[in-house]
């Protein structure tokens, strides 16, 4: 993973993590494989059996415990953490315990291997209370800082370029299978700068009525709506966009529904204002679709948070009354799905700012007709 952020950024994140630890009475934060480690240190551990762990005491210096053979891959961040390489014959969990002392409360990374947690329980189980790292990290991770917003913008722009190629007719559709088009889109995501492709849904005709359709050997023909929903990871941050195109002259029923969808998506984006509950974004989009007569065909939440992970907090769903904060990044992706006939979805990533919602995708929102 390339490191976009500066040492200052990591220092700031560790400082804010310590603030959250103080708020929640956490004595030590232990993060391993997963996104919290690169978020705090710029280093992404390979998901190996050998332990890599960042030990962040609330007061003392942070230390990265790492297999000696992996240590050369770490870009050191002076003042952020020190490196503690361990040898093949060392017990790395004992090393972590030494560094952490005997905490009353330890926050454990969600995606740490269970084997290491079980060993920690063996060391501390009787006196230490274990909580999830999300207690400390969720508020931080939701509120994207400037480096993260820049990374999301770059990933969004790269996905936009692929969407524009689709809408320009540069990606052949007629006579090709969904799977072939999915492979084509995936290659273009990489060509535009993504490091990995996370998904490339291509659903034609009635298949588009299944929101997470797996691209298959259905051949795309004139008269099909083609729903594409794709994204990848670029410099550690995710893109995610949905655009639909129509092969041939747009069916009037489809055009009518799409006009409602387009208005609903714009209403959802506009509702993404700081201080407004997350569920308001869902309600705003859903109101338009219901008023258009398609309410029963909008069968999922309106959006999800996005960052180092393709789906993360906050979720734009009824029941989530958490107020939107500056730096929250999320999708707005209402859909209309008529089983057996067609489906459609329109998705942008939005970042909430003090000046209002900022969409990271700007490729054409219309249902483009291709021949
Ligand atoms: Zn998507
Ligand atoms: Zn999405
Ligand atoms: Zn629009």
């Amino acid at each position: 993973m390339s490191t976009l952020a500066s040492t200052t950024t990591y220092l700031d994140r560790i400082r804010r993590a310590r603030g959250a630890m103080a708020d929640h009475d956490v004595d030590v934060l232990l993060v391993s494989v997963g996104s919290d480690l690169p978020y705090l240190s710029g280093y992404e551990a390979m998901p190996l059996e050998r332990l890599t762990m960042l030990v962040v005491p609330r007061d003392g210096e942070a230390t990265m415990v790492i297999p000696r053979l992996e240590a050369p891959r770490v870009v050191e961040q002076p003042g952020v953490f020190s490196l503690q390489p361990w040898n093949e014959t060392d017990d790395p969990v004992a090393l972590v315990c030494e560094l952490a002392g005997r905490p009353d409360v330890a926050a454990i990374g969600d995606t740490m291997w269970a084997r290491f947690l079980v060993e920690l329980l063996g060391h501390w189980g009787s006196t230490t209370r274990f909580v999830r790292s999300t207690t400390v990290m969720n508020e931080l991770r939701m509120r994207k800082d400037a480096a993260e917003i820049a990374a999301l913008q770059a990933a969004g722009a790269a996905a936009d370029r692929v969407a524009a190629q689709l809408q320009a007719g540069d990606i052949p559709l007629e006579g090709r299978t969904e799977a072939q088009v999915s492979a084509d889109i995936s290659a273009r995501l990489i060509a535009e700068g993504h490091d990995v492709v996370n998904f490339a849904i291509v659903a034609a005709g009635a298949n588009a009525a299944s929101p997470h359709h797996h691209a298959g050997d259905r051949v795309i023909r004139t008269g099909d709506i083609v729903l594409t929903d794709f994204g990848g990871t670029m410099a550690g941050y995710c893109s995610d966009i949905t655009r639909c195109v129509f092969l041939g002259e747009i069916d009037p029923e489809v055009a009518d529904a799409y006009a409602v969808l387009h208005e609903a998506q714009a209403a959802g984006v506009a509702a993404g204002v700081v201080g407004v509950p997350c569920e308001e974004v869902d309600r705003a989009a859903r109101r338009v679709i219901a008023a258009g007569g398609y309410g029963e065909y909008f069968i999922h939440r309106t959006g999800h948070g996005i960052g180092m992970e393709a789906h993360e907090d906050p979720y734009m769903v009824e029941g989530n009354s958490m107020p939107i904060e500056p730096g929250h990044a999320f999708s707005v992706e209402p859909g209309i799905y008529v089983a057996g006939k067609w489906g459609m979805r329109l998705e942008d990533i939005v970042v909430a700012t003090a000046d209002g919602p900022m969409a990271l995708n700007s490729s054409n929102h219309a249902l483009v007709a291709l021949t």
Side-chain angles (χ1 to χ4, degrees), residues 185-228:
I185 287 172
S186 298
R188 289 165 188 264
L189 283 169
I190 298 294
E192 293 297 342
H194 287 83
D195 301 308
V196 289
V197 175
N198 295 330
F199 52 88
I201 297 170
V202 176
N207 285 346
S210 167
H212 277 172
H213 176 70
H214 188 82
D217 46 21
R218 160 93 156 65
V219 174
I220 298 167
R221 294 287 178 219
T222 296
D224 284 341
I225 190 168
V226 181
L227 183 158
T228 67

Side-chain angles (χ1 to χ4, degrees), residues 76-122:
E76 292 200 58
Q77 305 287 345
V80 180
F81 60 86
S82 60
L83 270 188
Q84 175 76 261
W86 57 274
N87 298 311
E88 297 284 43
T89 53
D90 291 339
D91 174 354
V93 175
L95 206 55
V96 168
C97 290
E98 236 170 79
L99 288 165
R102 189 175 267 274
D104 291 328
V105 180
I108 304 294
D110 269 26
T111 49
M112 179 189 300
W113 295 126
R115 53 179 291 189
F116 297 123
L117 175 58
V118 169
E119 287 182 41
L120 286 168
L121 282 162

Side-chain angles (χ1 to χ4, degrees), residues 99-326:
L99 288 165
R102 189 175 267 274
D104 291 328
V105 180
I108 304 294
D110 269 26
T111 49
M112 179 189 300
W113 295 126
R115 53 179 291 189
F116 297 123
L117 175 58
V118 169
E119 287 182 41
L120 286 168
L121 282 162
H123 283 268
W124 294 336
S126 55
T127 54
T128 299
R129 190 161 64 85
F130 289 80
V131 298
R132 288 173 57 190
S133 66
T134 49
T135 308
V136 173
M137 297 300 297
N138 220 21
E139 288 167 44
L140 273 77
R141 291 272 307 277
M142 275 194 286
R143 236 177 280 140
K144 270 63 182 178
D145 59 34
E148 296 188 282
I149 292 170
L152 284 167
Q153 277 176 313
D160 260 353
R161 293 194 290 275
V162 178
Q165 290 162 19
L166 173 78
Q167 294 171 327
D170 296 345
I171 302 177
L173 299 174
E174 170 89 56
R176 289 172 102 196
T177 65
E178 295 167 338
Q180 285 169 326
V181 175
S182 174
D184 195 337
I185 287 172
S186 298
R188 289 165 188 264
L189 283 169
I190 298 294
E192 293 297 342
H194 287 83
D195 301 308
V196 289
V197 175
N198 295 330
F199 52 88
I201 297 170
V202 176
N207 285 346
S210 167
H212 277 172
H213 176 70
H214 188 82
D217 46 21
R218 160 93 156 65
V219 174
I220 298 167
R221 294 287 178 219
T222 296
D224 284 341
I225 190 168
V226 181
L227 183 158
T228 67
D229 180 355
F230 50 86
T233 305
M234 187 166 141
Y237 285 80
C238 294
S239 64
D240 185 2
I241 186 171
T242 306
R243 290 294 184 270
C244 296
V245 293
F246 200 95
L247 202 55
E249 201 188 323
I250 301 172
D251 180 274
E253 183 188 69
V254 169
D256 176 72
Y258 195 88
V260 173
L261 177 69
H262 188 167
E263 192 192 332
Q265 200 267 349
V269 172
V273 171
V274 170
V276 162
C278 289
E279 62 192 357
E280 256 320 308
V281 172
D282 184 82
R283 288 173 182 165
R286 203 168 296 278
R287 254 192 309 266
V288 175
I289 290 179
Y294 296 97
E296 66 183 291
Y297 304 111
F298 179 15
I299 54 177
H300 55 70
R301 67 185 176 216
T302 294
H304 54 80
I306 187 168
M308 300 178 102
E309 286 163 58
H311 287 191
E312 57 181 47
D313 280 313
Y315 291 94
M316 303 295 131
V317 62
E318 182 67 38
N320 186 1
S321 56
M322 184 178 62
I324 293 173
E325 293 180 27

